Amino acid sequence: MTQIDEVFVSPATGRPLTKRGEATRRRILEAAEDVFADLGYHEASIVKVTERAGVALGTFYLYFDSKQAIFEALVIDLNARVRQSMTESMAGATTRLEAERGGFEGFFRFTAEHPALYRVVREAEFVSPATMRLHYERIVDGYAAGLRAAQSEGDIDPRLDPEVAAWALMGMGELIGMRFLLWEQDSEGAKPTRIEPGVFDAMMLFIANALGSNEQRKGEAS
Amino acid sequence: MTQIDEVFVSPATGRPLTKRGEATRRRILEAAEDVFADLGYHEASIVKVTERAGVALGTFYLYFDSKQAIFEALVIDLNARVRQSMTESMAGATTRLEAERGGFEGFFRFTAEHPALYRVVREAEFVSPATMRLHYERIVDGYAAGLRAAQSEGDIDPRLDPEVAAWALMGMGELIGMRFLLWEQDSEGAKPTRIEPGVFDAMMLFIANALGSNEQRKGEAS
Amino acid sequence: MTQIDEVFVSPATGRPLTKRGEATRRRILEAAEDVFADLGYHEASIVKVTERAGVALGTFYLYFDSKQAIFEALVIDLNARVRQSMTESMAGATTRLEAERGGFEGFFRFTAEHPALYRVVREAEFVSPATMRLHYERIVDGYAAGLRAAQSEGDIDPRLDPEVAAWALMGMGELIGMRFLLWEQDSEGAKPTRIEPGVFDAMMLFIANALGSNEQRKGEAS
Amino acid sequence: MTQIDEVFVSPATGRPLTKRGEATRRRILEAAEDVFADLGYHEASIVKVTERAGVALGTFYLYFDSKQAIFEALVIDLNARVRQSMTESMAGATTRLEAERGGFEGFFRFTAEHPALYRVVREAEFVSPATMRLHYERIVDGYAAGLRAAQSEGDIDPRLDPEVAAWALMGMGELIGMRFLLWEQDSEGAKPTRIEPGVFDAMMLFIANALGSNEQRKGEAS
DNA sequence: AATGAATGAGAATTCATTCAT
DNA sequence: GATGAATGAATTCTCATTCAT
């Protein structure tokens, strides 16, 4: 589940986990993702998580200190994965606009598959503000770096403030994803796996304008 | 507190409220705004609300059916007021971009004065999804209408989808407000009353680009 | 139950209790005394206390902050009462030895009727050390004062250190009470209501010797 | 750790312990003494004991049946050792009063070095009453025998009831030790290793009086 | 209209004990 | 002999809601 090889220690004993322990920890974390996604942080309970994971209640506390602790672990884990998903989708892009398209595709794909991230982060302001900020800041940092690079290559409007733009773009993506992905459902109540292409393209036009990308400016010039 | 003249009825007796009752209801709603802003929805409790309002616990249930009910009443009330704040700030604008600037100023001013709206809406997905959607949709509807009008006047890029753009702009504003208003504090921990001008201008440039406003295009043409 | 007129406030609201509230508080405290006496502090549970008091679980927390808080309230209450019981039994004594006899009679009578004090204090070292010390120190203080007075009247050995003697006498009483009152039971398992006179007298002889009272020295002289 | 050569059997296999097993058992028992002394019986946990002993949790149950079982083993072990400490300190005494002085010195020295005995016994009434009684009774029995012998040698007041006197003296020692040894600490929080001489002497005077020892009566006669 | 005592379901967390490895 | 992951009953405490006064 986690990308980075990391050695977890038992919060109870402080000792590194055995292979068996590692597997149990992963099952609990995966169950927590499901439960948090369905019920949100507050409605979720440790009992529900452990039931879904198929372990006993007490087992939870072998691996996590508290409900808040697993929330934090989950956010950090999901955050690493959504960024990886975005990075992968951006590979091969030759212009910033292609990178944006790829990045948002990766972001929305991940969101459709892992609604937990979304839902749980949005209600986390009072649960674990530091973790919530960490989540946003890690995304913004990478994003702003990408914009800065594009600026130095003359690919986007040099007047933009990369950090402000990054926050703006992330906010955009968050609400567009919420509205056109998570809230959307067909006549049978099924959730879509991706944003409707028309909407996605409309969003990309908005972004292209905002970044004043070369592609865009060429388009306008013609 | 509420702008629109509305006749409330007691959930207990079903009869319209007297003047005294109306005043008590208002005090409770105002207290709830404070408490929800400080603690968020889940940490807030009815006892804390009634204590802050200076009424007895039981009095709460004379005016509201439940914790969720006051949350809904509060969101609807705040939503009406934030929209009014935005509308007022937009008055006199002659271009869409001026309207945007005014609208965001109004939005951020209201946010600084009433953080409850922000905080409580963001954790409400599982509390009262319908109310949360209502909040966003009411803003988006007005916003999209404004964009549509600007398009028909040739003031902004005619290719934009007004609804998608409205969601994008609202998301932008939400995260920019969170990051540069609510999270910001000076060395003594005091929260700013407005977004730093440089950031605000950077955001406006982003928006100007995005909307492809006439002003903007003229600027680029030169 | 409590001797001193005291105004209790609800730990929840901080307001003084109504008459009804005062009665409930008393019932809970009395139930706690019974449960603590039967089971000790650690085996006792809030549920058991409220069941015995005939109130709902949540009601407990209207009157006491925690299990430890009711323990402390109980110790302070019992302490005031055992001292009163001792004082009353000492009234009318004309010599220190008569006062001692009266004091121990009062102490043992109270112990037989309220074993909670005894049992709960002895296991309190790790629960609430401050309260435990308070209990012992309040008794010792009064005791030492009595001894000092008797010394200045030439009634007991002037060489004794009153404070050390007071601790010694209290320890004596504690173990004698434990052994010959609380541990004792007849063939049907019933606990005695008082210490067997022979034992009591033997203890009094020991004390008379220890204090080197005039009575005693006259006795020895003859 | 244990003085008496005793053959322990594993509660798991029922077979006598090997040398290695015996060492492990001893380490666990010593760890338990430390943990119980620091935290008391109820706050102590098997995990903490095994951690302090440097063995795995499961190992505990190879040597002891339960938490209560190790408590009982510990009390019995400490009881044997405190009595030995007292006996050693009494060796060479030529009068009962010298024996008393020695006995209390031994008792307090042991208490200062092994506070576990004290602390754990005092909260054990509801954990293992039989063991608690055994502890007190074993001490009293020896004590009473010593007093009886002194009486038959005309060394102390013949009218005293040896058993009652033994309980009285033990209670005295318990509270004096608690107050002037365990509760005492210097300005840096360090615990004393012995009772302050003035206090000890004051206590001995009290005892001398109580026992009506020959020394004492000679002193008074002069 | 207002009060505030009472309720009890539900939550997080602990820890002695078991047992497969 | 030793290990440590797993168990789940039991406990303390919270708080939205009711209702008699």
Side-chain angles (χ1 to χ4, degrees), chain B residues 30-221:
Chain B
E30 276 164 8
E33 186 187 322
D34 291 348
V35 174
F36 283 175
D38 284 357
L39 304 176
Y41 179 82
H42 291 95
E43 283 299 302
S45 70
I46 307 297
V47 179
K48 282 172 189 148
V49 170
T50 53
E51 268 170 6
R52 172 109 52 152
V55 301
L57 172 56
T59 304
F60 177 90
Y61 289 91
L62 258 29
Y63 297 97
F64 299 96
D65 280 330
S66 63
K67 186 180 179 184
Q68 183 170 326
I70 197 175
F71 164 78
E72 290 171 359
L74 182 61
V75 168
I76 288 174
D77 187 68
L78 286 166
N79 177 268
R81 289 154 68 207
V82 73
R83 284 186 292 124
Q84 173 143 337
S85 174
M86 290 168 75
T87 307
E88 281 167 5
S89 288
M90 291 164 78
T94 56
T95 65
R96 183 62 209 172
L97 204 58
E98 280 174 32
E100 290 295 331
R101 181 182 306 269
F104 274 97
E105 275 170 0
F107 175 71
F108 290 138
R109 192 180 338 107
F110 190 87
T111 296
E113 284 164 12
H114 304 274
L117 176 62
Y118 227 91
R119 304 191 133 150
V120 135
V121 163
R122 281 183 63 90
E123 63 173 335
E125 171 108 46
F126 297 92
V127 173
S128 181
T131 309
M132 185 205 187
R133 293 185 189 194
L134 196 68
H135 163 69
Y136 283 118
E137 281 164 357
R138 282 189 175 168
I139 296 184
V140 160
D141 285 350
Y143 215 143
L147 294 177
R148 227 172 274 120
Q151 280 179 320
S152 66
E153 287 171 21
D155 202 14
I156 61 169
D157 187 337
R159 301 165 305 165
L160 289 172
D161 177 315
E163 208 196 336
V164 171
W167 284 97
L169 287 161
M170 192 164 52
M172 253 188 49
E174 187 167 292
L175 275 210
I176 297 269
M178 184 173 85
R179 170 63 187 80
F180 295 102
L181 198 50
L182 298 184
W183 290 5
E184 213 65 73
Q185 48 183 29
D186 66 20
S187 55
E188 277 144 25
K191 308 248 162 162
T193 58
R194 52 200 291 265
I195 286 186
E196 201 203 320
V199 171
F200 188 85
D201 290 342
M203 184 191 79
M204 286 311 302
L205 169 63
F206 185 94
I207 294 175
N209 278 355
L211 297 183
S213 67
N214 270 331
E215 284 180 64
Q216 177 68 8
R217 278 175 291 182
K218 279 175 212 149
E220 283 190 357

